[in-house]
Amino acid sequence: MQGRWRMFRHEAGKDAGPPAWTYVALFGACLLIGLWSAERFGAVVMWPANGVLLAAFLQLHRRQAIGVLVVCFGLNLAMNVVRGDPLPYLWLNAVLNMAEAVIAGVLARRVCGAALDLRRPRRLLRFAIGAVTPAVLICAVTIVTVAGVLKGYSPGLYLFTLQRYFTMEALGLLTVAPTLLLLARRHRFAGIGSNGGPKETAALFGLLLAVTVGVFCQSHVPATYLIFPPLLLLVFRVSPAGSALAVLMVTVIGGFASITGHGPVTMQTLSADADLAHVPDLMRQMNVFYGFLLALIATALPVSTMVSERRRMVARLQARTQAAQAARHQAEAADAAKSRFLALMSHEMRTPLQGVVGYAEILSRRAGMNREDRRQIDQIQRSGAALLTLVEDVLEVSHGGAVATIDAVCPADLLDQAAAASQDCAAAKGLAVRTVVLPGGEPGVAGDLRRLRQILHKLIANAVKFTDRGEVVVTASREGDCTVLRVSDTGPGIDAGLAARLFEPFVQGDDSIGRAHVGAGLGLAVARRLARGMGGDIVLEASSPAGSTFAVRLPLALAEAVATSVEPENEPEFAQDAAAVPRVLVVDDHPTNREVARLMLAPLGCEIFEAADGVEAVELASTTAFDLILMDVRMPRMDGLAAARAIRALTGDYANAPILAVTADAMPEDAARCVAAGMNGHLAKPITHASLFAAIDAVMGQDDAPDLPRVAAA
C-alpha cells in the first residue's frame, strides 16, 4: 500500500518516453500559446501545460521529475511576470499549477496502479474520476475563491468562473497527459495497431483531419456530430496512442477555430444574464466547445481502450492456444516416445526371458534328475515367472491396457484358474486357497477372461504373500447387475495410513530396507486399472488384525451359455497321421529361440524347419507346404509382418499355411498388427509348453484354417 502512495516513479522502472528536456520544451510551448491566446483573443480555450507537468511527474524518475518541476515552475513565474499578473496571482497560479500536477499524479498512482496502464477502460475511468477530477477541483476552488474574495464576484459569476476554470484545466489534463503517457508506452501496443498498416492509418487521419477542418471552418451548420464517424473508424483501427493523438488533433483545430470566431460554437444564442454582463460572449460560448470535447474524450478514449483490451485478450488467447498446441504436440511426442520405449523394452526384456524360461521348462521335463537339480530348475522357473510378471505389470501400468475382449466366462472356472497359479506358493507356506461360488453367482457372465483372471491372480498372489498362516478364500457372487469377486485372507491387515494410497503404483505395505516381502508395488495398481477398464472397481472392503478383504465389483452382463473348460493335465501333441508328418517352420533371428521352439516341438513328432529371417522364410514357404509357421516379428532383412504378407501373396496352398506370431512384441497393438498382416494368431514371448500348444490349438481351430493336424491330448 505504501508503494502506491509514493510521490515518484520507482527507480527500477524501465526508461520510456521522451527525455526530460522534451517535457520542459512542451511546457514552455504551452505557456507561449496561452500567453498569445490571452493577448490576441482575450481568452484561453484550455490549459494543456498542466497535462505536460502531470505526464512528466508520472513518467520520469525522481531526480529528473524534480528537475522538470523546478524548471517549469520558474518558467511559469517568468510568464506571469511578463503577462503582468498582480499579487497574489503572480505566485499563486504557478504554485497551483505544480500542486495540481502533483496531486493528480499521486492519486493516479493510487487508483491506477504503479504501471499506469491506461489501455484498460477501468483504469482510464479511475484516472479521470479518481485523479484528475479531485486535483483540478481543489485548485479550481482555491484560485476562484481567492479571486472572488478579492474582486467581489457575484454568485453567478463565481459559479461560471469555477465551472469554466475547472473544465479548462480538466480538459487540458485529460487530453495531454494520457496522450503523452500512451505515446511513451507505445511499445506495449505492438501487434494491436492498425490492421492495414501505415497507409491505412495515414488515410484515416487524413479523413478525420479533412472532416474536422470542414466542420470548424464554417459557422452556418451545427455539424460537429460529423466528426464522430471518422473518429470512431480511426479508433477501431489504431492503438490507444493513435486515438489520443486524434483527440488532441481535433482539440487543437477546434479550439483554434472557435477562439478565432469560426465553427459551430459561434452559432450559439446567449441569454441575458446580469451576473455575466462583463464576460465576453466568446468565453460564454466556449462552454459548447467544452461539452463537445468532453463527449469526444468520453467516446474516443474508452472505446479505444476497450478495443485495445479486446485485441490484447485475443492476442493472449492466440498465444496461449499456440502454447497449448505446442504442449499438446510435445505431450503427444513424449507419449509416442514412451510407447516406442515400452515396445523396445518389452521386446528386449522378453527376448532373454525366452531363453531362460524356455530352457528351464525343457530341462524340467527331463527324466532322471535328482531332487537338488529338480529344485534348482524349479527355482529358475519361479524366478523367470516372477520377472515376467514384473515386466508385464510395468507395461500394463505405463501403457494403460488394451481394449477388452468379451468372452463367455464361467465363474467357477475363473476362480479355479486364477487360484491355480498361487497354489504351489500357498502350499509351501502351509496355506489353503479355497474357491467358493456363492448361491446366485453360478450363471456365466460376459467379460474379458484374461483381465478377470489377471485381476484375481494378483489379488490372490498378494494375499498369499502377506499371509503366514490360515487360509485365502476367493468367492464369486451376483449382487444386482454386478458380479462381485472377493479375496479374503487371514493376514495381519493393512495399516490405516496406507489404505488411502494402496492402489497407487509402486506403493508397498513395507518399503523399509528390512522388509520381508519382495515386489515393486504394482499388483494392486494393475488390478484396479484392469477393473476400471471394464467399468468396475476394486476396493479394500475390510481390514483388521484378523485379515483383509478386497472386493471387485464389475457390471458384467449374464451370458446365455457358458461351457466349462477343463485344463488337460498331459502335454498336448500333434495327432500324427501315418501317411504324413506335420511340417513346422520356425522363423527367428535368434538361434536360442529357434532351439527352444525346436526342443519343445521335436518330441511331438514334427518335422521342423528353421529360418533366420523373413527372406529365408518366404523362400521356404514358397517351395514347401507347411502345416504351421511360427513367425518372429523383429528380424533383419525382412521382418515378420512383411514375410507374412509375402506368404499370403503366394499362389496355391502355399499361401494358406497357418501363421502364429511368436514374438517379444507383446503390446495389444502388436497383436493387432500381426493379424492385420495376415497372421492367424499372436503369442508373446517367453513361451512355455502350455502357452505354445494353447496358441497352436487356437490357430488350428479357426474356421478359415485348412484341414490340418490338430493339437490333441497325449
Side-chain angles (χ1 to χ4, degrees):
M1 183 67 68
Q2 183 177 359
R4 299 179 70 180
W5 282 110
R6 65 174 182 267
M7 286 284 292
F8 300 100
R9 186 182 180 194
H10 199 284
E11 293 297 327
K14 180 181 178 181
D15 290 333
W21 65 265
T22 305
Y23 294 100
V24 175
L26 287 174
F27 183 82
C30 291
L31 292 181
L32 292 176
I33 293 174
L35 179 62
W36 169 78
S37 177
E39 292 182 352
R40 177 69 175 78
F41 304 105
V44 177
V45 177
M46 67 178 188
W47 191 249
N50 291 352
V52 176
L53 285 180
L54 176 57
F57 178 77
L58 293 174
Q59 188 62 30
L60 298 174
H61 294 298
R62 180 177 58 185
R63 295 182 62 182
Q64 293 178 324
I66 292 176
V68 169
L69 292 178
V70 170
V71 173
C72 290
F73 182 77
L75 291 176
N76 201 166
L77 285 176
M79 190 201 74
N80 292 344
V81 171
V82 172
R83 192 169 55 187
D85 289 349
L87 293 173
Y89 303 109
L90 176 67
W91 57 266
L92 184 60
N93 279 331
V95 170
L96 290 179
N97 284 338
M98 296 298 113
E100 183 177 283
V102 172
I103 293 173
V106 173
L107 292 176
R109 295 192 192 283
R110 177 65 182 87
V111 300
C112 298
L116 291 173
D117 188 357
L118 299 184
R119 295 176 298 170
R120 301 184 179 183
R122 182 178 297 180
R123 290 187 177 180
L124 182 64
L125 183 63
R126 289 177 178 176
F127 177 77
I129 297 177
V132 171
T133 299
V136 174
L137 187 61
I138 291 172
C139 296
V141 169
T142 301
I143 190 66
V144 174
T145 299
V146 170
V149 171
L150 294 178
K151 297 183 179 181
Y153 285 172
S154 64
L157 182 59
Y158 177 85
L159 292 177
F160 172 80
T161 306
L162 179 63
Q163 172 265 324
R164 183 176 180 278
Y165 188 94
F166 175 85
T167 305
M168 181 179 63
E169 295 282 339
L171 287 174
L173 293 182
L174 289 175
T175 55
V176 175
T179 301
L180 294 178
L181 290 174
L182 290 171
L183 286 174
R185 292 166 169 80
R186 62 184 180 275
H187 59 278
R188 297 181 179 178
F189 309 123
I192 62 172
S194 174
N195 295 330
K199 291 184 179 180
E200 181 187 270
T201 302
L204 292 174
F205 269 99
L207 176 62
L208 180 62
L209 176 63
V211 173
T212 303
V213 171
V215 167
F216 283 99
C217 283
Q218 55 85 35
S219 304
H220 306 288
V221 180
T224 51
Y225 61 88
L226 293 177
I227 295 175
F228 285 91
L231 177 67
L232 290 176
L233 180 61
L234 185 144
V235 163
F236 275 104
R237 301 295 291 178
V238 302
S239 67
S243 301
L245 280 176
V247 171
L248 185 61
M249 182 182 71
V250 174
T251 302
V252 171
I253 296 174
F256 181 78
S258 298
I259 204 170
T260 57
H262 300 86
V265 172
T266 59
M267 298 176 60
Q268 181 186 12
T269 302
L270 301 175
S271 59
D273 190 334
D275 290 335
L276 306 179
H278 300 291
V279 177
D281 290 346
L282 180 60
M283 294 182 62
R284 295 180 61 187
Q285 290 173 334
M286 289 302 296
N287 286 333
V288 176
F289 181 67
Y290 293 152
F292 164 74
L293 288 184
L294 286 174
L296 195 73
I297 295 171
T299 300
L301 294 185
V303 170
S304 177
T305 55
M306 286 188 288
V307 172
S308 173
E309 181 71 4
R310 178 181 178 277
R311 290 172 179 165
R312 188 178 65 85
M313 295 301 293
V314 169
R316 178 179 295 181
L317 178 61
Q318 291 174 344
R320 290 184 176 179
T321 301
Q322 292 175 354
Q325 290 175 345
R328 187 194 67 184
H329 294 326
Q330 185 177 4
E332 290 174 348
D335 185 66
K338 185 193 76 171
S339 298
R340 291 193 299 271
F341 172 78
L342 290 175
L344 178 62
M345 288 300 100
S346 173
H347 183 275
E348 295 304 318
M349 287 187 287
R350 288 174 183 272
T351 296
L353 275 175
Q354 166 71 3
V356 174
V357 175
Y359 278 121
E361 183 164 355
I362 292 171
L363 290 174
S364 70
R365 293 174 177 268
R366 286 186 178 178
M369 283 193 300
N370 59 43
R371 181 177 298 177
E372 180 62 20
D373 291 340
R374 176 71 62 184
R375 186 189 66 81
Q376 292 176 0
I377 293 298
D378 290 343
Q379 185 61 39
I380 293 174
Q381 287 184 289
R382 283 194 294 269
S383 298
L387 180 56
L388 178 60
T389 300
L390 178 60
V391 170
E392 290 177 342
D393 286 350
V394 171
L395 294 176
E396 184 72 36
V397 169
S398 302
H399 186 264
V403 178
T405 301
I406 303 302
D407 306 303
V409 180
C410 174
D413 288 349
L414 170 64
L415 267 57
D416 290 340
Q417 294 172 19
S422 299
Q423 289 287 2
D424 291 342
C425 184
K429 300 178 68 173
L431 301 175
V433 178
R434 295 193 297 113
T435 61
V436 180
V437 179
L438 299 178
E442 300 89 349
V445 295
D448 190 322
L449 178 60
R450 181 189 67 84
R451 287 187 174 188
L452 292 170
R453 189 165 51 214
Q454 193 173 359
I455 291 170
L456 281 178
H457 168 63
K458 294 186 182 302
L459 292 177
I460 296 170
N462 207 55
V464 170
K465 180 169 68 173
F466 289 98
T467 303
D468 293 328
R469 57 181 177 272
E471 64 177 0
V472 175
V473 180
V474 187
T475 64
S477 62
R478 189 73 180 176
E479 298 179 6
D481 295 332
C482 291
T483 293
V484 182
L485 308 173
R486 288 184 173 86
V487 177
S488 303
D489 61 58
T490 55
I494 297 173
D495 184 78
L498 178 65
R501 302 184 299 114
L502 198 59
F503 294 96
E504 297 178 7
F506 308 107
V507 172
Q508 299 172 330
D510 180 10
D511 57 1
S512 66
I513 61 175
R515 60 179 178 166
H517 307 287
V518 297
L522 292 173
L524 293 179
V526 171
R528 168 169 277 186
R529 178 169 298 212
L530 292 172
R532 288 183 173 179
M534 292 185 288
D537 203 356
I538 301 178
V539 295
L540 175 62
E541 195 171 63
S543 183
S544 69
S548 304
T549 298
F550 286 87
V552 185
R553 295 182 178 274
L554 299 167
L556 302 179
L558 294 176
E560 295 182 359
V562 179
T564 60
S565 60
V566 180
E567 292 286 344
E569 296 181 359
N570 300 323
E571 287 184 350
E573 63 178 10
F574 282 106
Q576 298 186 29
D577 191 295
V581 176
R583 293 189 180 94
V584 178
L585 174 60
V586 179
V587 187
D588 201 302
D589 58 326
H590 287 274
T592 299
N593 295 340
R594 296 199 301 271
E595 184 177 6
V596 168
R598 178 171 54 80
L599 292 174
M600 286 184 176
L601 293 173
L604 304 180
C606 298
E607 184 180 0
I608 300 174
F609 296 76
E610 295 184 17
D613 54 45
V615 174
E616 294 181 8
V618 175
E619 291 176 353
L620 287 171
S622 62
T623 58
T624 304
F626 289 104
D627 298 307
L628 178 66
I629 299 176
L630 304 182
M631 182 74 73
D632 190 18
V633 172
R634 293 178 182 264
M635 296 181 293
R637 295 208 295 172
M638 179 184 290
D639 59 59
L641 301 178
R645 286 191 287 266
I647 292 173
R648 293 297 181 230
L650 297 175
T651 59
D653 293 337
Y654 298 122
N656 299 324
I659 303 176
L660 173 62
V662 182
T663 173
D665 291 340
M667 295 295 197
E669 58 267 24
D670 297 325
R673 280 196 293 269
C674 291
V675 174
M679 300 188 193
N680 300 87
H682 176 274
L683 176 61
K685 295 176 182 177
I687 63 175
T688 63
H689 284 82
S691 64
L692 176 60
F693 293 132
I696 293 175
D697 191 52
V699 168
M700 307 288 271
Q702 293 179 1
D703 294 337
D704 56 349
D707 188 12
L708 299 170
R710 299 295 306 280
V711 176

